[in-house]
Amino acid sequence: MLARRSAELFVLLLTGWLLWPQRLAGYGLGHDMVFTPDQPLNAGSVGLGSTPPRAVPLDALVALAGKALGGEVTGRLALVIPLLAAGWGAQRLLAHLLPEPQSARLPALLLVGGAVVWNPFVIERLALGQWALLWCYGALPWLVVAVRRRSRAATVLALAAAAITPTGAVIAAAVLLVTGWRRRLRESLALTALAVLVQLPWLLPALTSGASATSDPRAVAAFAARAERPGGAVGSLLGLGGIWSADVTPASRAGVLGYLTALAVVLAVVAGRRLVPVRLWALAGAGFVLAALATMPGGGGALRWAVAHLPGAGLLRDGQKWLLPAVLIVIVAAGLALNRLRAQPVLLATLAAVLPLLLLPDGPATLRVPLSPVHYPAGWTQVARQVQGSRTVLVLPFSSYRSFAWAPGRTVLDPAPRLLDAPVLVDDRLAVGQELLRGEDPQVSAYLRHPDRLAGQGIGWVVVEQGTPGPVPTDLGQLTEVYAGPGVQLYRVPGPIAAPGSRAGRAVLVIGADLLVLLLVIVAAVQKAVQRAAALLHSPVTSAGES
């Protein structure tokens, strides 16, 4: 018990170290991470807008949490919870996979908990602002344990936590089916139904949306795994890195520490190959191949074809994120191998604790800027009060990412959709290097064809964000200025504004599916709470009887 508590405390300390910039007041805003004072809960939050549902049901969950806890607290918890869940869950999975009567020893627990929290994959995804993907990362070890123990309530809760984004939902469904598949047909069908059910919050909006179901095939090369050092992208993936963006890659990945990390991973696979169930190795191998596919001969061409022709295949374009299951499984394998060593427990525990830090010493430095909170200019509050309603708000300059003086040192996703309680039209085309990738929102295409016919497109307001570069296709002189304040200007579009089309059937279908999944999660949570309470009530009686 002391070893487990000490290892859990170690995970807590490492999490606090990485997230130390979040101690400051303000809101998280870095690359893809956007937290605001009061994120609205509206049609766009559940995927009923014109854009593909990439942040569904994530936006709705953040908005609901913000109503109860406030934007600052919600932003902090959104980062802390998945890291703690990953570290503690990996330690639990380690103990679960040990054969009887072995128990998890302190060196193995420290290595697993520390390495799962402190590794290139986690650092790079956090630096890119993709904290929501880490909810899947944090939920997977709990999901594997729950499925192997056949705990239905715990399985549903872990699956739901992973499925707050489409990618997380797909990965979690694969883990559920591979680890839980049984010979009994009824059990297998139940798992399949559950795996499909958690996809509905994003899948139904995607199927019923007017947005393009396919993506720009050039995105495959733009978002493919990247070589961080000589040796190719596969070598960088072996080192648990290889993210497409050089801007968020720790500097240490380019040198000898990157090679040593890859070597450590290979040793972990060799030493733990017989200690991890074959099904888990199959998941790790499939994830690695998918992560590297765009860099393999013929793989890039196959992915480009799929992205251009198959609906939903755009999920595959960011290759490195599919490494997620492999990261967890390899680290747990290393812990299982270390747990078999008996000599020098103090020395082993020390080495296990410091090894992840030695291999990635610049993790905190990489996160310092993107995780430092910001304060939004006061003008946004006035604009939000003015535009609340059903008229679409066009945001200029017309560029999907911003660079503000009040958020120094970082490029950020436009925060307007999470600041304004109205349909917001922003550029969904992605600029990667010199490439401008085609977007999928039909309203964006319509605006670019006729940037001065705003009223006919249902656009009633134009917001101009100050201090960030980008084109302004619309002639602002034809609009009525309503407000000019710190950081932002607001214009009203004159003339009658076209009313948005009604799609009540789509809304009923999507919201009905959301409520169904929510009901399932509530039932599972209540069942788990009852089980935990019963265990606590019976444990003293059991102990007395045994004594």
Side-chain angles (χ1 to χ4, degrees):
M1 180 63 72
L2 178 60
R4 193 177 78 181
R5 295 305 180 202
S6 299
E8 289 173 350
L9 178 60
F10 182 60
V11 169
L12 181 62
L13 292 174
L14 290 187
T15 298
W17 191 354
L18 289 178
L19 303 182
W20 187 245
Q22 292 274 293
R23 75 193 185 280
L24 303 173
Y27 302 91
L29 184 66
H31 293 283
D32 290 354
M33 177 180 65
V34 179
F35 290 103
T36 60
D38 186 17
Q39 181 167 326
L41 179 64
N42 51 31
S45 304
V46 294
L48 292 174
S50 60
T51 59
R54 292 194 179 93
V56 174
L58 175 65
D59 278 343
L61 296 173
V62 171
L64 288 170
K67 304 299 182 188
L69 304 173
E72 284 193 82
V73 174
T74 297
R76 302 311 188 275
L77 292 177
L79 301 186
V80 169
I81 290 174
L83 293 189
L84 294 180
W88 294 339
Q91 291 170 343
R92 186 68 59 86
L93 178 59
L94 167 73
H96 173 75
L97 293 178
L98 288 171
E100 295 288 349
Q102 292 185 32
S103 59
R105 300 169 62 240
L106 182 60
L109 290 170
L110 291 174
L111 176 64
V112 168
V116 162
V117 170
W118 195 296
N119 63 67
F121 182 88
V122 169
I123 300 300
E124 291 174 356
R125 288 293 159 180
L126 273 178
L128 194 61
Q130 295 189 350
W131 60 269
L133 185 64
L134 296 183
W135 275 70
C136 175
Y137 181 76
L140 284 194
W142 300 95
L143 177 62
V144 173
V145 172
V147 172
R148 288 171 59 89
R149 289 180 173 173
R150 301 194 179 190
S151 172
R152 295 179 182 177
T155 296
V156 170
L157 293 175
L159 195 62
I164 63 174
T165 65
T167 298
V170 171
I171 292 175
V175 171
L176 173 69
L177 293 176
V178 171
T179 60
W181 194 263
R182 315 288 183 192
R183 291 185 177 181
R184 293 180 60 182
L185 181 61
R186 179 180 298 179
E187 292 185 18
S188 299
L189 290 178
L191 287 176
T192 303
L194 185 58
V196 172
L197 186 62
V198 297
Q199 314 298 319
L200 295 183
W202 72 269
L203 187 58
L204 288 179
L207 293 175
T208 58
S209 172
S212 174
T214 58
S215 302
D216 191 331
R218 295 176 298 167
V220 172
F223 294 113
R226 185 183 61 87
E228 297 172 342
R229 55 192 170 272
V234 171
S236 294
L237 291 171
L238 269 177
L240 308 184
I243 199 168
W244 60 269
S245 174
D247 295 339
V248 301
T249 302
S252 64
R253 297 301 87 199
V256 65
L257 291 178
Y259 292 109
L260 290 177
T261 305
L263 177 61
V265 169
V266 172
L267 292 176
V269 172
V270 172
R273 65 188 186 280
R274 298 184 184 278
L275 306 177
V276 174
V278 173
R279 294 186 184 192
L280 293 182
W281 279 128
L283 285 167
F288 187 89
V289 169
L290 198 54
L293 187 58
T295 67
M296 295 178 175
L303 281 178
R304 286 192 296 272
W305 180 89
V307 166
H309 296 92
L310 298 181
L315 281 175
L316 301 175
R317 62 186 186 180
D318 181 354
Q320 193 252 8
K321 68 183 177 184
W322 300 103
L323 193 64
L324 188 155
V327 176
L328 287 162
I329 293 166
V330 165
I331 292 173
V332 170
L336 290 170
L338 182 62
N339 203 69
R340 304 177 75 181
L341 300 180
R342 299 295 175 182
Q344 299 293 331
V346 175
L347 178 60
L348 283 179
T350 302
L351 292 176
V354 302
L355 182 61
L357 284 67
L358 293 176
L359 292 176
L360 187 55
D362 51 348
T366 304
L367 298 177
R368 186 175 300 122
V369 171
L371 293 190
S372 295
V374 304
H375 294 276
Y376 291 97
W380 275 109
T381 302
Q382 299 297 326
V383 170
R385 290 173 181 169
Q386 290 276 354
V387 305
Q388 189 172 7
S390 60
R391 291 185 176 185
T392 298
V393 181
L394 169 67
V395 182
L396 300 176
F398 207 60
S399 176
S400 56
Y401 280 83
R402 306 304 205 202
S403 180
F404 297 112
W406 48 267
R410 70 199 89 181
T411 301
V412 302
L413 192 67
D414 194 332
R418 294 172 175 87
L419 283 165
L420 307 177
D421 191 5
V424 177
L425 181 61
V426 295
D427 193 358
D428 72 331
R429 299 170 300 170
L430 295 177
V432 181
Q434 301 301 315
E435 293 276 2
L436 183 63
L437 304 178
R438 170 177 60 83
E440 297 153 357
D441 187 345
Q443 290 190 0
V444 170
S445 301
Y447 167 70
L448 291 173
R449 287 194 302 268
H450 304 290
D452 291 315
R453 300 181 185 176
L454 303 182
Q457 300 175 44
I459 298 173
W461 302 97
V462 174
V463 168
V464 179
E465 298 174 347
Q466 299 171 359
T468 183
V472 181
T474 296
D475 181 6
L476 300 178
Q478 305 299 315
L479 308 178
T480 303
E481 185 178 278
V482 175
Y483 175 79
V488 65
Q489 294 171 285
L490 176 64
Y491 296 85
R492 180 184 288 113
V493 176
I497 308 300
S502 176
R503 300 187 65 182
R506 182 189 182 211
V508 170
L509 181 66
V510 169
I511 295 175
D514 291 344
L515 292 176
L516 177 61
V517 175
L518 179 61
L519 178 62
L520 178 66
V521 172
I522 292 173
V523 170
V526 171
Q527 183 180 354
K528 187 65 178 176
V530 170
Q531 291 172 352
R532 179 61 58 87
L536 291 175
L537 288 173
H538 286 85
S539 56
V541 176
T542 303
S543 299
E546 290 176 350
S547 61

